[in-house]
Amino acid sequence: MIRLNKMTDYAVVMLSHMAGDNDRRVTAAQMALDSGVPSPSVSKLLKQLSKADILTSHRGAGGGYSLDRAAGDISVAEIITALEGPIALTACIDGTDTSCGSLPLCSMSGHWNQVNRAIQGALEGVSLADMIPRPFAFEPASDELKLKITTGVQQTDIKTETRITRAP
Amino acid sequence: MIRLNKMTDYAVVMLSHMAGDNDRRVTAAQMALDSGVPSPSVSKLLKQLSKADILTSHRGAGGGYSLDRAAGDISVAEIITALEGPIALTACIDGTDTSCGSLPLCSMSGHWNQVNRAIQGALEGVSLADMIPRPFAFEPASDELKLKITTGVQQTDIKTETRITRAP
DNA sequence: CTCATACAGGACTAAATTGGTACTGTTTAA
DNA sequence: TTAAACAGTACCAATTTAGTCCTGTATGAG
């Protein structure tokens, strides 16, 4: 199973919690109370999100965090990337990796990239605004829940016509 | 980073290795030699793939494994599902598996599903045949590619700058 | 019929990740 | 000036993952 770790899961919950009004400032402590996420993890996450310009931090007394932009302008892809790095399946994705030495002819990189791009696209297609839960209290976070997919019900149409700007 | 674990990575490499001619039988030991994957892991994987009807096993002397079908009929999604279970991002924070206390209420699940489905689609779109390494067709990350994805709800045009690196 | 070959399956261990903790420093509004 | 609240770093425990080992069973060849 391809999985998102718990921290990212937390982050999405916390962010959608903030997504109502973007001027509201929430302190880490308050967020921990609201969401049930352990407070050190909340801090860690909010810091990271702030560093990634998804949140804006306000220091000092009366400070806290607020959304940097409207919820509709923040994609799930962006959140994941901020917390887990570039979206990719770990595979031979990178020419610079020589540890694939046991597989000298491995030239699958291109194809994995194709898949990776498609996944990235899927995640870019959903914004934080799309994820806002109805104004119910949700249970405190604990374990992950695995969403299962019924295959064949409705398949997404993916056209790949890719544009990758290579990183330095 | 959304990640595929190493075992699945191995599996794809091994399978594409076999994808040349599907009548060829390869023993686990031979595969370990060919691929450089540790032999106990090879065994474990081949067993699982056989159980999932991706490979056919032949017991006894002269036995081994061979592809159950043509490489073009085996999707990457199927391989991943065989080894890691249903393709999904873990989402929807809550208490236990049984109760997203508010599973019917938690409206996020629907959106995660949307994302999940798109990802599933991406993976179904690539067959094992597509992954067969072409010797020396080394393909460094292309300079320009464009990806357009229809998630089913909205259409996104993506231009991203990515840096894909493998963890050390 | 016998036997070496090769898959089947389970129990176990070492190593890597992950989630969570603790503590100290810095900024800023009141 | 001071207390609130973010910033950063180092660390530990628990889970997960990859890899090992061992015993059992089917099968084709001689």
Side-chain angles (χ1 to χ4, degrees):
Chain A
M1 152 136 54
I2 301 175
R3 65 142 210 255
L4 227 53
N5 63 30
K6 215 191 251 181
M7 298 301 261
T8 308
D9 201 0
Y10 286 167
V12 172
V13 170
M14 299 192 309
L15 285 170
S16 39
H17 202 254
M18 295 178 70
D21 55 322
N22 19 335
D23 284 337
R24 187 172 60 190
R25 286 187 189 179
V26 186
T27 68
Q30 187 57 47
M31 177 58 81
L33 289 176
D34 290 355
S35 65
V37 174
S39 83
S41 295
V42 168
S43 298
K44 199 184 263 183
L45 285 167
L46 293 178
K47 275 177 229 171
Q48 284 183 86
L49 292 169
S50 150
K51 212 166 183 178
D53 293 324
I54 290 170
L55 293 178
T56 301
S57 70
H58 308 272
R59 302 184 70 153
Y65 293 92
S66 57
L67 285 187
D68 184 69
R69 275 163 285 153
D73 292 336
I74 300 174
S75 72
V76 172
E78 193 178 351
I79 299 168
I80 294 176
T81 301
L83 300 175
E84 315 209 23
I87 292 168
L89 303 179
T90 39
C92 308
I93 354 179
D94 181 339
T96 69
D97 179 17
T98 48
S99 75
C100 197
S102 50
L103 309 160
L105 298 181
C106 179
S107 60
M108 285 192 286
S109 57
H111 297 295
W112 274 122
N113 270 336
Q114 183 185 323
V115 174
N116 287 334
R117 298 276 93 212
I119 289 175
Q120 163 104 13
L123 296 172
E124 294 254 357
V126 181
S127 78
L128 185 55
D130 297 326
M131 306 288 289
I132 298 176
R134 294 188 198 102
F136 278 40
F138 38 85
E139 292 292 307
S142 68
D143 270 341
E144 316 160 313
L145 173 72
K146 289 149 195 168
L147 298 179
K148 287 180 186 165
I149 294 212
T150 341
T151 69
V153 174
Q154 186 180 19
Q155 187 143 343
T156 342
D157 184 11
I158 292 168
K159 293 158 199 151
T160 56
E161 182 202 324
T162 338
R163 171 184 220 285
I164 293 179
T165 313
R166 194 151 153 210
Chain B
M1 156 138 58
I2 301 175
R3 65 144 211 260
L4 225 53
N5 61 30
K6 215 192 252 180
M7 298 301 260
T8 307
D9 198 3
Y10 285 168
V12 171
V13 171
M14 298 193 309
L15 286 170
S16 41
H17 205 256
M18 295 176 71
D21 53 324
N22 20 336
D23 285 337
R24 187 173 61 190
R25 287 187 188 178
V26 186
T27 68
Q30 187 57 47
M31 177 56 81
L33 289 176
D34 289 355
S35 64
V37 175
S39 82
S41 294
V42 168
S43 300
K44 200 183 263 183
L45 285 168
L46 293 178
K47 278 177 226 170
Q48 284 184 86
L49 292 169
S50 152
K51 214 167 184 178
D53 293 323
I54 290 170
L55 293 178
T56 300
S57 70
H58 308 270
R59 300 181 71 149
Y65 293 92
S66 57
L67 284 189
D68 184 69
R69 273 162 287 152
D73 292 338
I74 299 173
S75 71
V76 172
E78 192 177 353
I79 299 168
I80 294 177
T81 301
L83 300 175
E84 315 208 24
I87 293 168
L89 303 178
T90 51
C92 196
I93 288 241
D94 103 296
T96 62
D97 289 347
T98 47
S99 70
C100 177
S102 41
L103 188 57
L105 315 172
C106 176
S107 56
M108 275 197 288
S109 61
H111 296 296
W112 275 121
N113 270 333
Q114 178 188 322
V115 174
N116 287 332
R117 221 172 284 126
I119 290 175
Q120 167 100 15
L123 295 172
E124 296 215 343
V126 181
S127 79
L128 186 54
D130 296 325
M131 305 289 286
I132 297 175
R134 287 161 296 183
F136 309 118
F138 187 78
E139 196 178 310
S142 349
D143 293 66
E144 269 238 10
L145 253 66
K146 197 185 240 155
L147 181 75
K148 202 175 178 186
I149 294 202
T150 318
T151 66
V153 168
Q154 62 194 115
Q155 215 176 9
T156 11
D157 222 342
I158 301 152
K159 276 170 229 155
T160 41
E161 191 209 26
T162 13
R163 182 176 324 171
I164 300 179
T165 28
R166 190 173 199 164

